[in-house]
Amino acid sequence: MDELDRYHDLEGQSSHQGQTESTVPRKTTFLAIAVVLLVVALIGMVIAAVFAVSADGSSKTRPRNLIFVLADGTSPASYTFAREMSNFNSENPSPPLPLDQYFVGHAKTFSADHVVTDSAAGATAYSCTQLTNNEMVAVTPEGRACATLLEAAKKQGFMTGAVTNTRVTHASPASFTAHVPHRDSEQDIASQQTYNFSQSLDLLMGGGKAEFDERDDGVNFIEVLKSDGVKVIYTPDELQDLNTLPAVGLFAESHLDYEIDRMRNTPRTQPSLSEMVAKTLELFQKDGRKFILFIESGRIDQAAHANDPGAHYWEMNQYMKTAQVLEEFVGMNTETAVFFTSDHATGGISTGRRYNNDSYPEYTWFPNVVLRQTQSMAGMTLRLMKGEDLQTVYLEETGIDLENDHPEAYAELTGRTPTDNLQYKSALGFPLTSEAMIGWTTIGHTGVDINTYRMGVDISSIKGVVQNYKIGEILADTMGLVEALEEINEKYKSWTFDLTDISRGIQKMVKYHEDL
Ligand SMILES: [Zn+2]
């Protein structure tokens, strides 16, 4: 019975009962009540849609869109380092980083089986809202595929995307878009991203083209994507012109270049992370549907693995440019929440170090030394591998006279065969690192808590120090994805991997969307 029917019935009833006439005409009174009831009901529906009650009972605003940003391998000291570096040549004595004002707190990063996590378990904690073992990509410690935020989002009618400057098949983006028991199965990840594209993604951008078209199985997955109606692009110009979804951008055979190297190329052969993100937001906005977007600034980590200060800085700089693009977007799209976090810290970078064992250190470090660096240690290593002269390359790209100012390091490096591995690259970076008074403790990850930030709609229950998977849980709850995650996990109960032979589980892949 709608409100108008109710009015007629009540009108007839009251007449029969011979009630006293009100001073306000009865018909008008009932109409007014009906309108009020309707308005109250509508307001209630709007409030229910905008606010969600979380598990702890607190109500919070529900954003329409969510952008989740993972700054891979970024330690709290990376932010200090980047701030002081960008401050060095500035008129302003202490310009903040674009993210400084959005600081929330810290996240603990340990995985299910290691006190220091890797990127697979680190990203899975967020994507599957649970801890798993190192090297596992959206798979539980028991070997079962676990539903990801992007899969749940797609099921709930969100548009979804994943953008990175590493290979799209690398551990972090893979943990949101595929399921393998070991992160090294990147060809399997590419095949899942292809065959399951429509159930988890509208857009995928980054590097890693070779994982799709130079495969051991001989299948060209780029052709498979195209035959499924997905637009595939490879260059910055094609990115500029892109105006349709679904789309995949594969801008490099492997990872995109370090930003410090990418900037050297004229004309530019690859887009920057911020350019990929800006285009993604433009396309999502044009489409108009609600969306959940995963962004990874992935090479901050790799530069820190190589103990390469210049590469680390320019990756942080590009990450901050991406943050500015997002800041501008949420300024105009106020129903969007952006959450920034990291999977772990890498390299153990510090600003200030002991220069040698004989003296007490000066309380300083030298950003200007790092600012002189114009090529990554990886880029210099490749040149040395091709036979270029160490002294010449180092002087050209760092301004440091290796032979005269660092004779010990020069002797050590000339005695080694240039090799594309972290040990060589970190040794190559050591003279610059020590002149800059930058410290590194490892070529691996560290277990320190990492920074979290947020922009846009207040996701107020994320604050202080939280375990990484809790952030995933809160985001899933905030975006209304909990039930969808549970439903997909129910489907995935049969998608288990034989952990003694990681390649066999792939054949049991479950397409949960087949009977949606
Ligand atoms: Zn790493």
Side-chain angles (χ1 to χ4, degrees), residues 72-73 117-120 170 172 183 298 300-302 304-305 343-347 422 443-445:
D72 198 313
T117 189
D118 84 319
S119 287
H170 211 234
S172 307
R183 56 183 292 169
I300 298 168
D301 169 70
Q302 292 163 334
H305 274 290
D343 44 1
H344 52 76
T346 302
L422 292 176
I443 54 170
H445 298 171

Side-chain angles (χ1 to χ4, degrees), residues 75-141:
S75 69
S78 300
Y79 291 94
T80 314
F81 169 68
R83 186 187 303 111
E84 296 308 313
M85 287 284 294
S86 58
N87 193 24
F88 186 73
N89 282 330
S90 172
E91 302 278 305
N92 184 340
S94 59
L97 290 175
L99 275 183
D100 280 351
Q101 64 175 304
Y102 300 108
F103 181 73
V104 170
H106 295 291
K108 297 180 276 186
T109 62
F110 55 80
S111 67
D113 68 339
H114 281 75
V115 71
V116 178
T117 189
D118 84 319
S119 287
T124 297
Y126 298 116
S127 68
C128 286
T129 75
Q130 57 185 291
L131 293 183
T132 193
N133 295 345
N134 281 10
E135 296 168 343
M136 289 180 138
V137 171
V139 167
T140 67

